[in-house]
Amino acid sequence: MTREVVVGAAQLGPIGRAESREEVVERLLTLLRSAAERGCDLVVFPELALTTFFPRWLLDEGDESGLAGDTTELDSYYEREMPNPATQPLFDEARRLQIGFHLGYAELTPDGHRYNTAILVGPDGDVVGSYRKVHIPGHERHEPWRQFQHLERRYFEESPDGFGVHEAFGGVFGMAICNDRRWPETYRVMGLLGVEMILIGYNTPLNYAPDPSQNPLQAFHNHLVMQAGAYQNGTWVVGVAKGGVEEGVESLAQTAIIAPSGQIVAQATTIGDELVTATCDLDMCDRYKKTLFDFDRYRRPEMYTLLTSTTGPQALVEADPDAAEHA
Ligand code: CDV
């Protein structure tokens, strides 16, 4: 038996600060229609796919206690409802073409909460599930020494919900956003929930200001974490970039579709708008989930809790009390 899902990873090139939602949605529609021509069931758009990556600017006059002053431009980057008039054409066209899609955007809730969000929409145009980013990178306050800001921690709250999975497209789907992909817990939590395909959008600057020695390793680390997460949890991973030079900031492209074996089966070759597709057999997950990574049979959660065992880490603590602090 096979459960095949044809997935389109819809990489985006830069989105300018002055680019309107309508202009961006036109680009998404072009990619969506290409995906339909290539037989896709699902199209995956990246993180914050409707706007420029606005956390690179200080856009308010508040202090560490919160946003203040004129937030007109900042607020303009958030969606207050989904769909909305600007994105409705995407929902309508996807429904007409009977294709599902994944879309990342900035969410402003009616009660004023700001999240970095993604939704999964089924081929009937209904929202199957949503996810709010858990691991928020960057900084809270303006840091003038940087070439550009990364104020995600100022503009987004952490998800209050965590990770979940959704039954869709004949399988079990999960979502994560950008920095989440670097954390093994992201994949493992969804792995424990039986995930078969994880959809991840990202905006990754090539210049990592806190440690520039990582700059030449950006592409390596990107694939390293997603390939490991796929393999160790027996799941497909679809990682989709917003790449290229956006408002002077160079971002990683390297969009990839990764099999449960950890192998990359499709990869973008440009740094602009580009669709890469792959036919993904969800039953391939069981080749790993029921052998090497049969969690019920081989995982040892009782061995993973530090300081609870008298023969494991506890023995270390008894020998060296300082070890407790570093464990
Ligand atoms: N948008 C992101 O989450 N970007 C981070 C950068 C700041 C390190 C990433 O993990 O790619």
Side-chain angles (χ1 to χ4, degrees), residues 38-313:
R38 288 162 64 173
C40 290
D41 302 299
L42 169 64
V43 181
V44 184
F45 297 112
E47 176 192 34
L48 300 177
L50 295 172
T51 65
T52 200
F53 191 80
F54 60 90
R56 71 169 60 96
W57 297 288
L58 180 68
L59 295 170
D60 76 296
E61 293 137 36
D63 55 21
E64 49 271 40
S65 61
L67 302 176
D70 182 358
T71 59
T72 310
E73 182 181 352
L74 176 65
D75 292 346
S76 75
Y77 294 117
Y78 294 80
E79 314 302 317
R80 288 165 177 75
E81 54 183 351
M82 189 59 69
N84 54 39
T87 56
Q88 189 65 53
L90 184 67
F91 282 72
D92 292 344
E93 187 68 346
R95 185 186 294 113
R96 188 183 75 77
L97 296 168
Q98 287 289 288
I99 299 188
F101 65 92
H102 163 281
L103 179 71
Y105 62 92
E107 175 191 8
L108 180 54
T109 68
D111 52 351
H113 293 284
R114 296 170 191 265
Y115 298 110
N116 189 337
T117 297
I119 49 168
L120 180 61
V121 179
D124 54 4
D126 292 338
V127 176
V128 173
S130 66
Y131 166 73
R132 291 163 173 162
K133 189 169 181 175
V134 167
H135 302 97
I136 309 285
H139 46 108
E140 291 84 359
R141 281 179 292 173
H142 188 239
E143 295 185 359
W145 59 272
R146 293 174 182 256
Q147 275 177 26
F148 55 89
Q149 302 297 296
H150 196 105
L151 287 161
E152 273 198 73
R153 295 186 66 81
R154 183 171 187 83
Y155 298 150
F156 296 117
E157 293 168 47
E158 288 162 10
S159 167
D161 315 312
F163 296 99
V165 294
H166 310 278
E167 297 210 357
F169 304 97
V172 183
F173 280 68
M175 292 176 272
I177 299 178
C178 196
N179 191 259
D180 288 324
R181 76 195 190 287
R182 302 184 192 274
W183 299 86
E185 295 87 349
T186 296
Y187 307 89
R188 182 48 51 93
V189 170
M190 289 188 272
L192 288 166
L193 296 170
V195 76
E196 294 176 313
M197 184 173 283
I198 300 178
L199 313 175
I200 305 174
Y202 58 90
N203 283 261
T204 297
L206 293 185
N207 179 357
Y208 183 63
D211 177 16
S213 76
Q214 295 180 31
N215 295 352
L217 303 174
Q218 290 291 357
F220 167 62
H221 287 157
N222 178 46
H223 286 162
L224 175 73
V225 291
M226 294 195 292
Q227 290 180 259
Y231 169 63
Q232 292 172 340
N233 295 279
T235 180
W236 289 88
V237 170
V238 182
V240 185
K242 174 138 68 69
V245 184
E246 187 181 272
E247 299 294 347
V249 176
E250 199 177 354
S251 287
L252 181 70
Q254 304 264 323
T255 289
I257 301 176
I258 300 158
S261 58
Q263 294 165 293
I264 294 175
V265 298
Q267 186 177 324
T269 56
T270 72
I271 58 171
D273 290 12
E274 180 182 347
L275 181 76
V276 291
T277 65
T279 301
C280 305
D281 179 6
L282 299 180
D283 283 334
M284 186 179 176
C285 299
D286 276 352
R287 297 205 340 234
Y288 291 85
K289 287 186 193 295
K290 291 192 172 161
T291 59
L292 266 172
F293 297 111
D294 181 338
F295 287 170
D296 290 342
R297 187 169 185 194
Y298 298 123
R299 266 185 92 245
R300 286 292 166 268
E302 69 278 12
M303 300 302 292
Y304 306 151
T305 309
L306 291 176
L307 310 180
T308 56
S309 157
T310 51
T311 55

